[in-house]
Amino acid sequence: MAEPVVRIPDAKVALSTASVYPESTATAFEIAARLGYDGVEVMVWTDPVSQDIEALRRLSDYHRIPILAVHAPCLLITQRVWSTDPWTKLQRARAAAEKLGAGTVVVHPPFRWQRQYARDFVAGIWRMANETDVRFAVENMYPWRYRDREMLAYAPDWDVTKDDYRHFTIDLSHTATARADAVQMVDRMGDRLGHVHLADGRGSAKDEHLVPGRGNQPCAEVLERLALTGFDGHVVIEVNTRRAMSGAEREADLAEALAFTRLHLASAVKVPRP
């Protein structure tokens, strides 16, 4: 006879500091600790604290919340953060991760106009991955759309599974914007999937980052699949709370996202009775 049991993978659930914007990086640590997240992912952006390793270490120690990942400054608004040279940005992100005890650096593929960087990107990421125990997890992106026009803004490709990387990040808000099948992308990533940005979307041309369960992405199915396959990476809540009318409303959204994630990571499986 086999009886159903609940199996929960070793994956930790973290809060991206981007999820509290326009509040500060420091606020994200406070909220993550209060709500019971397992850790944080630091989005390195224009907030000076997000760029300061010692300040981040003090926040981590004070709130007793580990830093599990560092998101390199790859956004348009962070083009001058940690240098204008993209490889220097990644080197500094790796150094920060190593000093802070984070296991993963999240990186976007280059913008298409960063021609030399894009040309060397795949080989360069492999080279950097071979120099550290930190995972460089390259994140899927999406085409940019305006009305009926589509622009391919990323190179070598927004669909990172078309290239050879050691580790991937899947972002379910980005699969929504790309109108891609998230489950099929997870399958293509296979055992190289090392990191998850959990959010939802409805297929808008804008990258929505909704609370999981509020869009049309298979967030629950993906989490359940991770549980069944013994996923041991990190699941990071990266949602947009800019429209929250108060701190209490923002925290309620982040608590809901955490509860959703933990519920669907707890997967019922059948095991033989001893």
Side-chain angles (χ1 to χ4, degrees):
M1 295 289 294
E3 295 181 348
V5 299
V6 172
R7 181 171 66 187
I8 301 175
D10 293 333
K12 296 186 186 309
V13 183
L15 179 66
S16 169
T17 59
S19 296
V20 306
Y21 181 83
E23 297 290 343
S24 66
T25 300
T27 300
F29 278 83
E30 180 184 343
I31 292 174
R34 185 159 55 242
L35 295 181
Y37 278 83
D38 298 318
V40 300
E41 174 180 300
V42 174
M43 171 68 80
V44 180
W45 64 299
T46 55
D47 181 347
V49 171
S50 74
Q51 305 170 31
D52 187 330
I53 293 172
E54 289 309 313
L56 293 169
R57 194 196 312 276
R58 288 194 296 271
L59 283 169
S60 177
D61 290 345
Y62 179 79
H63 292 288
R64 298 182 180 179
I65 193 93
I67 297 169
L68 301 180
V70 173
H71 195 310
C74 304
L75 305 174
L76 285 172
I77 64 169
T78 60
Q79 289 185 81
R80 296 187 178 278
V81 173
W82 280 358
S83 169
T84 56
D85 177 67
W87 291 113
T88 300
K89 292 174 184 283
L90 295 191
Q91 289 164 0
R92 293 189 64 172
R94 179 188 66 192
E98 290 172 341
K99 291 176 181 177
L100 294 168
T104 300
V105 167
V106 178
V107 57
H108 293 179
F111 292 112
R112 189 166 290 275
W113 55 85
Q114 296 174 298
R115 293 181 181 177
Q116 185 62 46
Y117 180 44
R119 189 158 41 242
D120 299 336
F121 184 69
V122 177
I125 290 293
W126 270 102
R127 183 177 61 252
M128 295 190 73
N130 287 332
E131 296 170 350
T132 180
D133 291 332
V134 173
R135 292 177 172 179
F136 277 87
V138 185
E139 183 174 1
N140 64 297
M141 298 305 291
Y142 47 85
W144 290 3
R145 293 189 179 92
Y146 178 71
R147 295 181 179 172
D148 295 328
R149 302 187 67 181
E150 183 175 287
M151 183 177 83
L152 300 179
Y154 299 97
D157 204 287
W158 65 263
D159 181 352
V160 293
T161 64
K162 293 183 178 179
D163 292 286
D164 181 26
Y165 302 108
R166 180 174 293 172
H167 291 109
F168 294 111
T169 296
I170 190 165
D171 184 306
L172 271 71
S173 178
H174 295 176
T175 57
T177 306
R179 299 167 190 169
D181 187 310
V183 173
Q184 288 183 7
M185 185 170 285
V186 167
D187 287 344
R188 291 197 302 275
M189 291 178 172
D191 59 8
R192 292 183 292 170
L193 175 59
H195 202 70
V196 176
H197 279 170
L198 192 68
D200 216 330
R202 303 188 186 97
S204 166
K206 295 182 179 180
D207 186 17
E208 297 172 286
H209 284 274
L210 304 176
V211 171
R214 298 184 186 177
N216 60 20
Q217 291 301 284
C219 296
E221 183 179 349
V222 167
L223 291 171
E224 289 160 10
R225 183 171 295 214
L226 295 179
L228 290 171
T229 57
F231 178 72
D232 64 353
H234 304 319
V235 178
V236 178
I237 303 301
E238 191 184 68
V239 296
N240 183 346
T241 63
R242 275 175 279 187
R243 294 185 178 179
M245 300 301 292
S246 65
E249 184 178 335
R250 175 173 290 108
E251 285 200 34
D253 283 346
L254 298 177
E256 179 183 330
L258 177 61
F260 180 100
T261 304
R262 290 217 166 115
L263 172 65
H264 292 287
L265 276 176
S267 178
V269 298
K270 290 186 176 182
V271 297
R273 178 186 291 177

